[in-house]
Amino acid sequence: MSFVNVSVVNVYFVSGNDKLLVGRLAIKDRKIFFEYNADFLKTGIEISPLKLPLKTGVFSSNDRVFDGLFGVFNDSLPDGWGHLLLDRKLRKISLNPGDLSPLDRLCYVGHMGMGALTYEPEISSAAIPNYEDLDAIADETLQFQENDNDRFVDDLLAMNGSSAGARPKIVIATSEDDWIIKFRSFLDPKDIGPIEYGYHLMAKSANLDVPKAKLFPSKKGYGYFGVKRFDKMNGKRTHVHTISGLLHVDHRVPSLDYETIMKATMWLTKDHRECEKQFRASVFNVLSHNRDDHAKNFSFVMNTDGKWLISPSYDLTFSSGPSGEHCSTVMGEGKKPSLDNLLKLAEVGGIKKQRAMQIISEVKLAISDWNNIGKNAGVSSDSLKMIKSRLDRVSV
């Protein structure tokens, strides 16, 4: 794999069998510019209505949150694990990762990113290796992390598929579905797969909208959590926009409040039902001690009619958060969000108190069954007890 700095990148929107030229990104003197294609303007498709409204002219971002890149395109870039893999690959072939601009990284993503946007010219990568032996892949990820072993970087990079998130993962396509399968980082408990699967089942019981998921078996450990991609169904892509990209909020820095998330939901979807769904997910995060609720863990999807909806909930698992607090505060409270905080959040979303209390009760009931859900998911007894003790301390 070789890299040549690019100055212009074509952005495409894939809708069914159609591949529409959205516009062009250009970089000059480290400043990034974007202009919509004249034909795309006629489609009425708003890929990022707040920061990149559909109109003529040349745009440039006034902030440096994403190194001058607009958030909707930054959503296509891998972070965490995927970013680490690419940087390690570059160093392996004696290239300085700092020499790559955001446009260069988009060319690496090409057509392999999440969502409906693709980028050209595309920098070809290695062929995707056989993924049938998940235990072997898990061993590779641990060796890569613990021993600074670059032997497997090409395979891991090819299998990552430009997915986001800190945990090691691969993207695979089966005969029926496209899946993201996660592996344990060296900081995770050995039963992290069953824990996340248990949280998925608990969220489903709480009536959250969640993607299809399952625990892929292991001959050597607890198994691997896999989730069906909601951005690619039946071979067709769906446009996805994180709230990080929508609002230009850096997910690495705790700076968001659920109030902003709720207001953005109402502004973008213009649908009270979507606010209710967002509120239910918010309540679940609070009551389930999921404090890794940063700006990239909230997304919106565009349906085939061009209407925005909140995405299915994802990355739901036990987490203590930065310094024991939620990444996103709840009406100003990050350490111990209260019932009063949640009811004020419901009010922001136009949800009446009686309905809000009903949603809270439904989520509480699901979470109260953690021991049974976790046990059935294969969570170890030590993790069951630890998580249960933390859940019992959440006072709402």
Side-chain angles (χ1 to χ4, degrees):
M1 179 176 63
S2 60
F3 283 98
V4 177
N5 290 104
V6 298
S7 57
V8 176
V9 172
N10 292 322
V11 182
Y12 293 90
F13 184 94
V14 180
S15 176
N17 296 322
D18 296 326
K19 181 180 174 184
L20 310 175
L21 177 62
V22 178
R24 293 174 178 83
L25 285 161
I27 186 169
K28 183 178 182 181
D29 298 328
R30 301 190 68 85
K31 190 171 181 64
I32 297 173
F33 303 91
F34 176 76
E35 184 175 18
Y36 279 109
N37 176 268
D39 288 335
F40 190 80
L41 289 172
K42 300 174 185 176
T43 67
I45 300 172
E46 292 267 14
I47 62 169
S48 187
L50 183 61
K51 296 292 185 178
L52 208 55
L54 196 63
K55 62 181 182 181
T56 59
V58 177
F59 297 83
S60 62
S61 179
N62 294 322
D63 60 57
R64 300 291 299 175
V65 176
F66 307 122
D67 295 325
L69 190 65
F70 283 97
V72 68
F73 307 128
N74 187 73
D75 281 345
S76 297
L77 293 177
D79 57 12
W81 175 249
H83 194 279
L84 172 65
L85 287 174
L86 180 56
D87 284 2
R88 289 279 285 273
K89 170 61 180 178
L90 292 169
R91 292 190 180 97
K92 186 179 179 182
I93 58 176
S94 302
L95 291 175
N96 178 11
D99 290 340
L100 267 69
S101 74
L103 268 61
D104 295 320
R105 292 182 180 270
L106 287 174
C107 289
Y108 167 74
V109 170
H111 73 284
M112 297 295 290
M114 303 290 112
L117 299 182
T118 65
Y119 304 89
E120 294 180 8
E122 181 171 359
I123 298 172
S124 61
S125 58
I128 299 176
N130 191 307
Y131 55 77
E132 291 182 1
D133 190 348
L134 296 180
D135 287 331
I137 298 172
D139 288 342
E140 290 181 9
T141 62
L142 283 176
Q143 288 188 50
F144 179 83
Q145 296 171 87
E146 294 178 346
N147 304 321
D148 204 28
N149 190 336
D150 287 341
R151 175 185 170 191
F152 307 108
V153 68
D154 291 315
D155 286 355
L156 295 174
L157 188 57
M159 290 185 289
N160 180 64
S162 299
S163 56
R167 290 252 306 279
K169 59 182 65 66
I170 63 172
V171 177
I172 67 170
T174 67
S175 58
E176 298 178 353
D177 302 313
D178 290 82
W179 291 83
I180 296 174
I181 302 177
K182 298 183 179 182
F183 299 92
R184 183 173 72 91
S185 80
F186 67 96
L187 296 174
D188 289 325
K190 291 183 178 180
D191 58 344
I192 184 62
I195 290 173
E196 188 162 2
Y197 184 51
Y199 264 63
H200 167 82
L201 295 175
M202 192 161 62
K204 191 174 181 180
S205 177
N207 296 320
L208 270 71
D209 179 18
V210 291
K212 179 180 177 182
K214 64 180 180 179
L215 196 65
F216 286 79
S218 167
K219 296 178 181 178
K220 301 170 63 176
Y222 286 87
Y224 310 105
F225 178 73
V227 62
K228 183 179 176 182
R229 287 176 57 176
F230 58 77
D231 68 303
K232 192 176 182 183
M233 302 180 68
N234 301 317
K236 296 183 178 180
R237 292 173 176 262
T238 298
H239 183 44
V240 180
H241 206 353
T242 71
I243 203 159
S244 169
L246 177 72
L247 303 180
H248 280 207
V249 175
D250 190 344
H251 76 285
R252 296 164 297 184
V253 180
S255 57
L256 194 64
D257 193 283
Y258 277 87
E259 179 180 11
T260 303
I261 297 170
M262 188 63 77
K263 287 180 177 179
T265 301
M266 179 58 79
W267 178 81
L268 188 63
T269 70
K270 299 174 177 61
D271 191 330
H272 177 75
R273 294 168 297 181
E274 296 302 300
C275 289
E276 273 204 8
K277 288 165 62 178
Q278 194 72 272
F279 179 70
R280 186 180 293 274
S282 305
V283 172
F284 182 85
N285 284 344
V286 170
L287 298 185
S288 70
H289 210 284
N290 176 28
R291 300 188 171 187
D292 189 33
D293 45 0
H294 57 72
K296 272 206 167 183
N297 278 345
F298 299 90
S299 291
F300 301 92
V301 294
M302 180 186 288
N303 69 12
T304 55
D305 295 325
K307 177 177 172 56
W308 288 100
L309 309 168
I310 71 167
S311 77
S313 297
Y314 57 94
D315 284 358
L316 304 175
T317 192
F318 177 84
S319 171
S320 293
S323 301
E325 299 200 15
H326 283 270
C327 290
S328 297
T329 53
V330 184
M331 305 304 292
E333 177 57 47
K335 189 76 172 179
K336 294 181 179 180
S338 65
L339 175 61
D340 185 57
N341 294 134
L342 289 176
L343 291 177
K344 287 180 179 177
L345 177 63
E347 189 176 340
V348 172
I351 303 168
K352 294 181 179 180
K353 182 177 180 179
Q354 183 179 1
R355 178 58 178 155
M357 290 299 297
Q358 181 183 352
I359 292 172
I360 292 170
S361 296
E362 291 171 358
V363 175
K364 271 187 174 181
L365 181 62
I367 290 174
S368 69
D369 198 30
W370 162 250
N371 276 342
N372 290 325
I373 293 173
K375 184 177 180 180
N376 290 333
V379 178
S380 69
S381 58
D382 287 344
S383 293
L384 276 174
K385 293 175 184 176
M386 182 276 291
I387 293 174
K388 183 64 167 63
S389 70
R390 299 300 191 279
L391 296 180
D392 289 343
R393 296 179 193 175
V394 178
S395 55
V396 171

